[in-house]
């Protein structure tokens, strides 16, 4: 089976009309498209995000820290509508030159510290509060292995499988086969790891779980791309066990709805714990 409908030209040229539903966000150039400053709320941590899996990692992390009793982890979560191009404002680009959520400012430091890349944000917060990473050398290293595994692997799931299975303007078997294969291989990697470990990096819940659950946990629970049946997720019994276990955590229930503007439980912005309580209770 082959299709040769498209022959690449000698030099590729941008056709802004050819980005389908995502024409506004898929661009071959970086940088700001418009001047706009970001809002700043009352807490030292200012998060600019959306409740996609990459966004959920950070809001779950903040809620876990608050649940552990770190009152200094209070944060304002501002909504960045990536479908509308908010990530290309001059203010956002100053925090993240890569124009992707999540982006965070820590105003506890002088000057304030900018943070982008969800893995970097999780590591920074874990270091700052001395929490959610094992203390011993072996545990810490294994946790970091899986954190980096997630950062390298999830683009194949999101940008690869999710894009071609759920979002591309028409279905193409070649990329769907290619990225389904990779996604199932990754699920198998996780399944084998979780067969002998309660959590991803061992017996301790850590930022490795917080990074991986929003992608692979949501996927097997049927919350992502509506692809649970297609991927036969019920065969990954250990991943399912872990995903359900993590889903029960109060901080996960709270963090996953922050900056969410779709589905049952929506919370566009979070400025206080009470904002979440009002939606969940
Ligand atoms: N590696 C980045 C990926 C972030 C990312 O891809 N964010 C997406 C939403 S999940 C985004 O902001 N997309 C907007 C765009 O590409 O313009 C991270 O982990 O923080």
């Amino acid at each position: 089976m082959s299709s040769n409908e498209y022959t690449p030209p000698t030099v590729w040229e941008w056709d802004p009309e050819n980005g389908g539903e995502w024409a506004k966000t898929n661009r071959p150039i970086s940088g700001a498209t418009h001047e706009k400053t970001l809002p700043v709320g009352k807490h030292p941590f200012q998060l600019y995000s959306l409740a996609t899996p990459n966004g959920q990692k950070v809001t779950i992390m903040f809620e876990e820290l608050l649940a552990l009793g770190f009152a200094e982890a209070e944060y304002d979560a501002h909504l960045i509508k990536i479908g509308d191009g908010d990530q290309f404002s001059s203010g956002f680009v100053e925090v993240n030159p890569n124009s992707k959520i999540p982006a965070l400012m820590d105003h506890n430091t002088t000057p304030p510290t900018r943070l982008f890349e969800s893995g970097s944000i999780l590591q920074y917060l874990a270091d700052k509060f001395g929490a959610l990473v094992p203390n011993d050398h072996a545990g810490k290293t294994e946790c970091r292995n899986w954190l980096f595994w997630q950062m390298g692997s999830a683009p194949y799931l999101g940008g690869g499988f999710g894009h071609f299975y759920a979002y591309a303007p028409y279905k193409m078997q070649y990329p769907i086969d290619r990225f389904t294969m990779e996604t199932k291989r990754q699920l198998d990697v996780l399944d084998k790891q979780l067969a002998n470990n309660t959590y991803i990096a061992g017996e301790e819940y850590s930022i490795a779980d917080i990074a991986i659950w929003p992608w692979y946990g949501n996927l097997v629970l049927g919350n992502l791309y509506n692809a649970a049946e297609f991927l036969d997720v019920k065969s990954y019994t250990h991943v399912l066990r872990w995903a359900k276990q993590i889903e029960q955590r109060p901080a996960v229930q709270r963090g996953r709805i922050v900056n969410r503007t779709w589905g049952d439980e929506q919370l566009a912005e979070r400025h206080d714990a009470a904002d979440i309580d009002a939606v969940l209770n």
Side-chain angles (χ1 to χ4, degrees), residues 124-180:
Y124 179 88
L125 292 172
D127 287 350
K128 185 153 191 143
F129 289 97
L132 295 160
V133 168
N135 280 323
D136 61 299
H137 175 71
K140 204 189 291 281
T141 306
E142 184 67 354
C143 176
R144 199 179 316 122
N145 289 340
W146 287 102
L147 180 66
F148 277 72
W149 176 88
Q150 186 283 324
M151 298 304 291
S153 300
Y156 292 99
L157 166 54
F161 173 75
H163 180 81
F164 287 104
Y165 181 74
Y167 300 138
Y170 48 90
K171 306 286 178 225
M172 288 159 272
Q173 186 176 353
Y174 178 79
I176 291 178
D177 279 349
R178 177 176 163 82
F179 291 116
T180 298

Side-chain angles (χ1 to χ4, degrees), residues 25 52 54 57 82 87-88 99-102 117-118 151:
T25 64
T52 65
N54 288 321
K57 292 176 204 170
I82 60 175
Q87 70 277 35
F88 301 114
S99 283
K100 298 202 188 272
I101 66 91
E117 285 296 321
S118 55
M151 298 304 291

Side-chain angles (χ1 to χ4, degrees), residues 217-231:
N218 273 325
L219 185 69
V220 298
L221 293 172
N223 300 332
L224 199 55
Y225 311 132
N226 206 9
E229 191 178 356
F230 181 73
L231 295 170

